[in-house]
Amino acid sequence: DLADNDQLYAVAYLPVKYLANVDYGQLLKVWIDDQSYEARVCYLDIHSTYTPKDKQTAADKNRESVKLKLQFEPETLIKPGQEVKISLD
C-alpha cells in the first residue's frame, strides 16, 4: 500500500524467513504494473506478528511477518493506494 502523496512510501509485511535478506537502508527493486523503481528500507519492525487480515492470502494466513516501510524518491510515479511487488533479488 502507498500511504501518503507528500512522502512516497510503501508499507509491506515481509515473511520472517526473508528477514535475513533485508537490511535497514538497503535499496530494493519495487514493481508496479510493468515499471520498476528503487526504494530504500526506512523501517523494519523489531517484533514479528501475523500478517494483518486485510493483507493476508490463503498461503500466508498463519505465517509470521515483520512490518517493512520503503521510501521512494519524490519523482517516483506512484499513487496512494497502488499495490507494489517487492523483489529481494
Side-chain angles (χ1 to χ4, degrees):
D1 284 331
L2 190 65
D4 183 356
N5 216 12
D6 295 330
Q7 293 185 1
L8 295 177
Y9 66 88
V11 174
Y13 294 88
L14 181 72
V16 171
K17 69 180 183 177
Y18 298 114
L19 188 56
N21 299 336
V22 178
D23 290 316
Y24 183 82
Q26 178 180 352
L27 284 175
L28 296 177
K29 185 178 277 192
V30 178
W31 293 88
I32 180 163
D33 299 326
D34 292 327
Q35 182 70 33
S36 69
Y37 301 93
E38 284 192 333
R40 186 170 306 279
V41 177
C42 63
Y43 176 82
L44 277 171
D45 201 345
I46 60 171
H47 300 289
S48 63
T49 185
Y50 290 105
T51 306
K53 285 190 181 278
D54 63 329
K55 306 295 179 204
Q56 282 181 6
T57 64
D60 64 10
K61 181 170 115 175
N62 294 319
R63 294 186 186 155
E64 288 192 15
S65 61
V66 292
K67 187 175 181 178
L68 175 72
K69 187 174 174 180
L70 301 170
Q71 182 78 43
F72 293 96
E73 294 297 323
E75 63 273 2
T76 304
L77 300 175
I78 297 179
K79 298 175 188 167
Q82 285 185 300
E83 290 185 19
V84 299
K85 293 182 181 180
I86 301 167
S87 174
L88 298 178
D89 298 329

PDB file of all heavy atoms in Angstrom, residues 11-12 16 19 28 30-32 36 38-42 45 51 58 67 69-70 80:
ATOM      1  N   VAL A  11       4.168   0.443   2.701  1.00  0.00           N
ATOM      2  CA  VAL A  11       4.243  -0.425   3.871  1.00  0.00           C
ATOM      3  C   VAL A  11       3.960  -1.836   3.388  1.00  0.00           C
ATOM      4  O   VAL A  11       2.998  -2.077   2.662  1.00  0.00           O
ATOM      5  CB  VAL A  11       3.215   0.001   4.943  1.00  0.00           C
ATOM      6  CG1 VAL A  11       3.200  -0.988   6.094  1.00  0.00           C
ATOM      7  CG2 VAL A  11       3.521   1.409   5.437  1.00  0.00           C
ATOM      8  N   ALA A  12       4.825  -2.755   3.777  1.00  0.00           N
ATOM      9  CA  ALA A  12       4.671  -4.152   3.364  1.00  0.00           C
ATOM     10  C   ALA A  12       4.897  -5.046   4.578  1.00  0.00           C
ATOM     11  O   ALA A  12       5.438  -4.603   5.595  1.00  0.00           O
ATOM     12  CB  ALA A  12       5.678  -4.493   2.268  1.00  0.00           C
ATOM     13  N   VAL A  16       8.967 -13.678   7.899  1.00  0.00           N
ATOM     14  CA  VAL A  16      10.167 -13.739   8.738  1.00  0.00           C
ATOM     15  C   VAL A  16      11.290 -14.506   8.060  1.00  0.00           C
ATOM     16  O   VAL A  16      12.459 -14.150   8.208  1.00  0.00           O
ATOM     17  CB  VAL A  16       9.814 -14.342  10.121  1.00  0.00           C
ATOM     18  CG1 VAL A  16      11.058 -14.625  10.929  1.00  0.00           C
ATOM     19  CG2 VAL A  16       8.892 -13.412  10.881  1.00  0.00           C
ATOM     20  N   LEU A  19      13.735 -12.241   6.328  1.00  0.00           N
ATOM     21  CA  LEU A  19      14.282 -11.123   7.080  1.00  0.00           C
ATOM     22  C   LEU A  19      15.804 -11.016   6.957  1.00  0.00           C
ATOM     23  O   LEU A  19      16.349  -9.907   6.899  1.00  0.00           O
ATOM     24  CB  LEU A  19      13.876 -11.232   8.546  1.00  0.00           C
ATOM     25  CG  LEU A  19      14.205 -10.054   9.446  1.00  0.00           C
ATOM     26  CD1 LEU A  19      13.613  -8.764   8.900  1.00  0.00           C
ATOM     27  CD2 LEU A  19      13.704 -10.305  10.857  1.00  0.00           C
ATOM     28  N   LEU A  28      15.835  -1.665  -2.512  1.00  0.00           N
ATOM     29  CA  LEU A  28      15.138  -2.823  -3.065  1.00  0.00           C
ATOM     30  C   LEU A  28      14.448  -2.423  -4.361  1.00  0.00           C
ATOM     31  O   LEU A  28      14.011  -1.277  -4.515  1.00  0.00           O
ATOM     32  CB  LEU A  28      14.083  -3.342  -2.088  1.00  0.00           C
ATOM     33  CG  LEU A  28      14.585  -3.895  -0.758  1.00  0.00           C
ATOM     34  CD1 LEU A  28      13.405  -4.298   0.115  1.00  0.00           C
ATOM     35  CD2 LEU A  28      15.514  -5.060  -0.975  1.00  0.00           C
ATOM     36  N   VAL A  30      11.305  -2.393  -6.633  1.00  0.00           N
ATOM     37  CA  VAL A  30       9.859  -2.444  -6.403  1.00  0.00           C
ATOM     38  C   VAL A  30       9.166  -2.321  -7.750  1.00  0.00           C
ATOM     39  O   VAL A  30       9.523  -1.465  -8.567  1.00  0.00           O
ATOM     40  CB  VAL A  30       9.428  -1.297  -5.460  1.00  0.00           C
ATOM     41  CG1 VAL A  30       7.935  -1.311  -5.254  1.00  0.00           C
ATOM     42  CG2 VAL A  30      10.149  -1.409  -4.123  1.00  0.00           C
ATOM     43  N   TRP A  31       8.192  -3.178  -7.987  1.00  0.00           N
ATOM     44  CA  TRP A  31       7.458  -3.189  -9.255  1.00  0.00           C
ATOM     45  C   TRP A  31       6.034  -2.703  -9.047  1.00  0.00           C
ATOM     46  O   TRP A  31       5.379  -3.079  -8.086  1.00  0.00           O
ATOM     47  CB  TRP A  31       7.410  -4.608  -9.825  1.00  0.00           C
ATOM     48  CG  TRP A  31       8.747  -5.107 -10.242  1.00  0.00           C
ATOM     49  CD1 TRP A  31       9.664  -5.761  -9.463  1.00  0.00           C
ATOM     50  CD2 TRP A  31       9.333  -4.991 -11.524  1.00  0.00           C
ATOM     51  NE1 TRP A  31      10.775  -6.044 -10.197  1.00  0.00           N
ATOM     52  CE2 TRP A  31      10.604  -5.597 -11.464  1.00  0.00           C
ATOM     53  CE3 TRP A  31       8.907  -4.429 -12.738  1.00  0.00           C
ATOM     54  CZ2 TRP A  31      11.447  -5.655 -12.569  1.00  0.00           C
ATOM     55  CZ3 TRP A  31       9.751  -4.503 -13.825  1.00  0.00           C
ATOM     56  CH2 TRP A  31      10.994  -5.101 -13.740  1.00  0.00           C
ATOM     57  N   ILE A  32       5.595  -1.877  -9.968  1.00  0.00           N
ATOM     58  CA  ILE A  32       4.189  -1.510 -10.041  1.00  0.00           C
ATOM     59  C   ILE A  32       3.804  -1.631 -11.511  1.00  0.00           C
ATOM     60  O   ILE A  32       4.460  -1.047 -12.369  1.00  0.00           O
ATOM     61  CB  ILE A  32       3.905  -0.113  -9.475  1.00  0.00           C
ATOM     62  CG1 ILE A  32       2.427   0.197  -9.582  1.00  0.00           C
ATOM     63  CG2 ILE A  32       4.715   0.956 -10.107  1.00  0.00           C
ATOM     64  CD1 ILE A  32       1.962   1.327  -8.733  1.00  0.00           C
ATOM     65  N   SER A  36       9.603  -0.700 -12.977  1.00  0.00           N
ATOM     66  CA  SER A  36      10.366  -0.946 -11.752  1.00  0.00           C
ATOM     67  C   SER A  36      10.930   0.367 -11.211  1.00  0.00           C
ATOM     68  O   SER A  36      11.241   1.287 -11.960  1.00  0.00           O
ATOM     69  CB  SER A  36      11.493  -1.942 -12.000  1.00  0.00           C
ATOM     70  OG  SER A  36      12.490  -1.377 -12.813  1.00  0.00           O
ATOM     71  N   GLU A  38      13.307   1.938  -7.521  1.00  0.00           N
ATOM     72  CA  GLU A  38      14.077   1.570  -6.345  1.00  0.00           C
ATOM     73  C   GLU A  38      13.487   2.294  -5.143  1.00  0.00           C
ATOM     74  O   GLU A  38      13.044   3.436  -5.245  1.00  0.00           O
ATOM     75  CB  GLU A  38      15.549   1.948  -6.509  1.00  0.00           C
ATOM     76  CG  GLU A  38      16.289   1.002  -7.408  1.00  0.00           C
ATOM     77  CD  GLU A  38      17.791   1.205  -7.323  1.00  0.00           C
ATOM     78  OE1 GLU A  38      18.249   2.323  -7.011  1.00  0.00           O
ATOM     79  OE2 GLU A  38      18.503   0.224  -7.584  1.00  0.00           O
ATOM     80  N   ALA A  39      13.486   1.612  -4.011  1.00  0.00           N
ATOM     81  CA  ALA A  39      13.007   2.199  -2.763  1.00  0.00           C
ATOM     82  C   ALA A  39      13.946   1.766  -1.649  1.00  0.00           C
ATOM     83  O   ALA A  39      14.482   0.661  -1.669  1.00  0.00           O
ATOM     84  CB  ALA A  39      11.587   1.751  -2.478  1.00  0.00           C
ATOM     85  N   ARG A  40      14.153   2.648  -0.691  1.00  0.00           N
ATOM     86  CA  ARG A  40      15.059   2.379   0.425  1.00  0.00           C
ATOM     87  C   ARG A  40      14.268   1.909   1.644  1.00  0.00           C
ATOM     88  O   ARG A  40      13.241   2.485   1.984  1.00  0.00           O
ATOM     89  CB  ARG A  40      15.840   3.638   0.768  1.00  0.00           C
ATOM     90  CG  ARG A  40      16.918   3.426   1.809  1.00  0.00           C
ATOM     91  CD  ARG A  40      17.832   4.627   1.952  1.00  0.00           C
ATOM     92  NE  ARG A  40      18.426   5.066   0.719  1.00  0.00           N
ATOM     93  CZ  ARG A  40      19.498   4.523   0.138  1.00  0.00           C
ATOM     94  NH1 ARG A  40      20.074   3.472   0.684  1.00  0.00           N
ATOM     95  NH2 ARG A  40      19.976   5.017  -0.984  1.00  0.00           N
ATOM     96  N   VAL A  41      14.774   0.873   2.297  1.00  0.00           N
ATOM     97  CA  VAL A  41      14.161   0.382   3.530  1.00  0.00           C
ATOM     98  C   VAL A  41      14.403   1.433   4.611  1.00  0.00           C
ATOM     99  O   VAL A  41      15.552   1.715   4.974  1.00  0.00           O
ATOM    100  CB  VAL A  41      14.757  -0.973   3.960  1.00  0.00           C
ATOM    101  CG1 VAL A  41      14.169  -1.428   5.284  1.00  0.00           C
ATOM    102  CG2 VAL A  41      14.540  -2.019   2.880  1.00  0.00           C
ATOM    103  N   CYS A  42      13.329   2.055   5.100  1.00  0.00           N
ATOM    104  CA  CYS A  42      13.476   3.099   6.123  1.00  0.00           C
ATOM    105  C   CYS A  42      12.876   2.681   7.463  1.00  0.00           C
ATOM    106  O   CYS A  42      12.941   3.441   8.422  1.00  0.00           O
ATOM    107  CB  CYS A  42      12.880   4.419   5.631  1.00  0.00           C
ATOM    108  SG  CYS A  42      11.116   4.379   5.317  1.00  0.00           S
ATOM    109  N   ASP A  45      10.315  -3.440  11.524  1.00  0.00           N
ATOM    110  CA  ASP A  45       9.777  -3.684  12.862  1.00  0.00           C
ATOM    111  C   ASP A  45      10.660  -4.695  13.584  1.00  0.00           C
ATOM    112  O   ASP A  45      11.194  -5.616  12.967  1.00  0.00           O
ATOM    113  CB  ASP A  45       8.349  -4.217  12.753  1.00  0.00           C
ATOM    114  CG  ASP A  45       7.548  -4.032  14.019  1.00  0.00           C
ATOM    115  OD1 ASP A  45       8.151  -3.748  15.084  1.00  0.00           O
ATOM    116  OD2 ASP A  45       6.319  -4.154  13.946  1.00  0.00           O
ATOM    117  N   THR A  51       0.526 -11.633   9.721  1.00  0.00           N
ATOM    118  CA  THR A  51       0.157 -10.670   8.706  1.00  0.00           C
ATOM    119  C   THR A  51      -1.260 -10.168   8.964  1.00  0.00           C
ATOM    120  O   THR A  51      -2.151 -10.973   9.232  1.00  0.00           O
ATOM    121  CB  THR A  51       0.235 -11.321   7.301  1.00  0.00           C
ATOM    122  OG1 THR A  51       1.544 -11.876   7.142  1.00  0.00           O
ATOM    123  CG2 THR A  51      -0.016 -10.311   6.200  1.00  0.00           C
ATOM    124  N   ALA A  58      -4.335 -16.804   1.405  1.00  0.00           N
ATOM    125  CA  ALA A  58      -4.518 -18.137   1.996  1.00  0.00           C
ATOM    126  C   ALA A  58      -3.170 -18.771   2.328  1.00  0.00           C
ATOM    127  O   ALA A  58      -3.028 -19.476   3.314  1.00  0.00           O
ATOM    128  CB  ALA A  58      -5.308 -19.019   1.046  1.00  0.00           C
ATOM    129  N   LYS A  67       6.815  -5.891   9.769  1.00  0.00           N
ATOM    130  CA  LYS A  67       6.395  -4.714   9.025  1.00  0.00           C
ATOM    131  C   LYS A  67       7.638  -4.038   8.448  1.00  0.00           C
ATOM    132  O   LYS A  67       8.651  -3.885   9.124  1.00  0.00           O
ATOM    133  CB  LYS A  67       5.653  -3.755   9.960  1.00  0.00           C
ATOM    134  CG  LYS A  67       5.029  -2.585   9.267  1.00  0.00           C
ATOM    135  CD  LYS A  67       4.222  -1.775  10.280  1.00  0.00           C
ATOM    136  CE  LYS A  67       3.542  -0.605   9.643  1.00  0.00           C
ATOM    137  NZ  LYS A  67       2.741   0.127  10.637  1.00  0.00           N
ATOM    138  N   LYS A  69       8.885  -0.706   5.850  1.00  0.00           N
ATOM    139  CA  LYS A  69       8.489   0.545   5.206  1.00  0.00           C
ATOM    140  C   LYS A  69       9.566   0.920   4.202  1.00  0.00           C
ATOM    141  O   LYS A  69      10.757   0.928   4.525  1.00  0.00           O
ATOM    142  CB  LYS A  69       8.319   1.643   6.262  1.00  0.00           C
ATOM    143  CG  LYS A  69       7.756   2.931   5.735  1.00  0.00           C
ATOM    144  CD  LYS A  69       7.492   3.886   6.904  1.00  0.00           C
ATOM    145  CE  LYS A  69       7.059   5.236   6.445  1.00  0.00           C
ATOM    146  NZ  LYS A  69       6.819   6.150   7.580  1.00  0.00           N
ATOM    147  N   LEU A  70       9.150   1.224   2.966  1.00  0.00           N
ATOM    148  CA  LEU A  70      10.069   1.563   1.886  1.00  0.00           C
ATOM    149  C   LEU A  70       9.827   2.998   1.440  1.00  0.00           C
ATOM    150  O   LEU A  70       8.709   3.374   1.117  1.00  0.00           O
ATOM    151  CB  LEU A  70       9.858   0.626   0.691  1.00  0.00           C
ATOM    152  CG  LEU A  70      10.049  -0.855   0.977  1.00  0.00           C
ATOM    153  CD1 LEU A  70       9.579  -1.680  -0.198  1.00  0.00           C
ATOM    154  CD2 LEU A  70      11.495  -1.146   1.287  1.00  0.00           C
ATOM    155  N   PRO A  80      -1.127   7.028  -4.172  1.00  0.00           N
ATOM    156  CA  PRO A  80      -1.603   6.388  -2.939  1.00  0.00           C
ATOM    157  C   PRO A  80      -2.619   5.283  -3.238  1.00  0.00           C
ATOM    158  O   PRO A  80      -3.474   5.425  -4.104  1.00  0.00           O
ATOM    159  CB  PRO A  80      -2.276   7.548  -2.178  1.00  0.00           C
ATOM    160  CG  PRO A  80      -1.574   8.763  -2.670  1.00  0.00           C
ATOM    161  CD  PRO A  80      -1.282   8.484  -4.123  1.00  0.00           C
TER     162      PRO A  80
END
